[in-house]
DNA sequence: GTAACCGGTTTCCTAAAGTATACCAGTATC
DNA sequence: GATACTGGTATACTTTAGGAAACCGGTTAC
């Protein structure tokens, strides 16, 4: 009756792994907001903390470190008094934009569907 | 689901909300594998459980319900003896393919970068 | 009758993710 | 000398995601 495609299929794995990689990088409650915030311009630590509503210093610090490790965000220390730290997107970080746009478009369509579906009882 | 964090910038919010919607739907350890499994053909419950390596009945049931609620997956009960249940992707579920492709392409590039970066000690 | 399939549910538990709060050294302002 | 800014840490706590295992009624096959 049903065709028996095996998922343990390496073909399948080959597709899944990079998708997982991408999703892992965007996972968590805050990374996305941080990236979008940086897409709108470079930011300093406290500045981001004020902008990304509700995030604690601990989480912001943790997420920025992960993003930096993944080469999406650059951390620059300026030798001013007091020392200021500037966070910016790398070119690589900016390369996420098409992915974010694909997600955004799909998400918009989804919202539209869910809303119009909810109208007729 | 849980997303009440108003980002100060309304422009920013407008972009973030649909992206979050999309990511929420793909979030978790199993949804992606379930979707890819169903992209390869319709499946019955036990069949998927065998195919998606390591998933428990509890999680499979839970994730399928969520995917069904989001109209990505259709559950069909066939009046055979014993009753069989068939899961399939909706057209809407299939509409995720461009998103998955965008994620996959970016993930591939990311892998390539991380690997080539690791080479020079 | 008993074992093994079907499509799940229930309960309990752990590991991870995230939160709250206090704290650090340094500088500048009143 | 108290307050508030800079960029964060440290510790302790709660909340959630996911896992393990037992169980359910029903059907078929031995």
């Amino acid at each position: 009756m049903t065709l028996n495609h095996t998922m343990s299929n390496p073909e399948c794995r080959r597709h899944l792994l990079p998708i997982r990689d991408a999703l892992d990088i965007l996972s968590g409650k805050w990374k996305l907001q941080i990236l979008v915030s940086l897409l709108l311009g470079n930011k300093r630590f406290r500045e981001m903390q004020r902008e990304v509503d509700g995030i604690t210093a601990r989480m912001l610090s943790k997420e920025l470190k992960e993003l930096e490790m993944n080469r999406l965000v650059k951390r620059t220390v300026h030798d001013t008094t007091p020392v200021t730290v500037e966070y910016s997107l790398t070119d690589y970080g900016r390369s996420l934009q098409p992915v974010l746009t694909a997600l955004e478009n799909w998400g918009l369509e989804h919202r539209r569907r869910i809303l119009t579906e909810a109208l007729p009882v």
Side-chain angles (χ1 to χ4, degrees), chain A:
Chain A
M1 207 171 258
T2 43
L3 302 167
N4 199 359
H5 298 276
T6 44
M7 168 92 172
S8 11
N9 191 332
E11 165 76 3
C12 189
R13 238 151 245 263
R14 205 165 52 77
H15 288 284
L16 269 175
L17 284 177
I19 297 179
R20 273 249 77 90
D21 288 345
L23 282 182
D24 283 348
I25 282 163
L26 303 178
S27 76
K29 191 170 171 182
W30 302 109
K31 275 188 209 86
L32 202 61
Q33 298 188 52
I34 291 170
L35 288 172
V36 173
S37 159
L38 287 178
L39 265 174
L40 300 177
N42 299 357
K43 300 281 156 61
R44 287 162 57 186
F45 189 86
R46 294 286 186 191
E47 195 177 358
M48 298 195 68
Q49 206 185 334
R50 269 180 255 113
E51 207 173 286
V52 181
D53 193 39
I55 198 169
T56 60
R58 180 180 173 278
M59 285 311 289
L60 182 56
S61 170
K62 227 174 104 181
E63 303 284 62
L64 282 171
K65 270 178 194 158
E66 278 186 51
L67 291 169
E68 208 190 336
M69 268 176 29
N70 284 318
R71 311 285 193 252
L72 299 176
V73 163
K74 197 174 105 204
R75 180 178 183 272
T76 315
V77 180
H78 293 290
D79 196 15
T80 52
T81 47
V83 167
T84 52
V85 178
E86 187 186 19
Y87 289 94
S88 55
L89 283 185
T90 60
D91 286 346
Y92 191 34
R94 251 178 287 277
S95 78
L96 266 172
Q97 203 147 27
V99 180
L100 297 182
T101 301
L103 283 166
E104 185 184 353
N105 288 338
W106 193 87
L108 278 170
E109 179 68 10
H110 181 70
R111 292 215 136 197
R112 207 184 56 70
R113 285 219 184 198
I114 293 295
L115 287 177
T116 57
E117 250 172 25
L119 288 180
V121 183

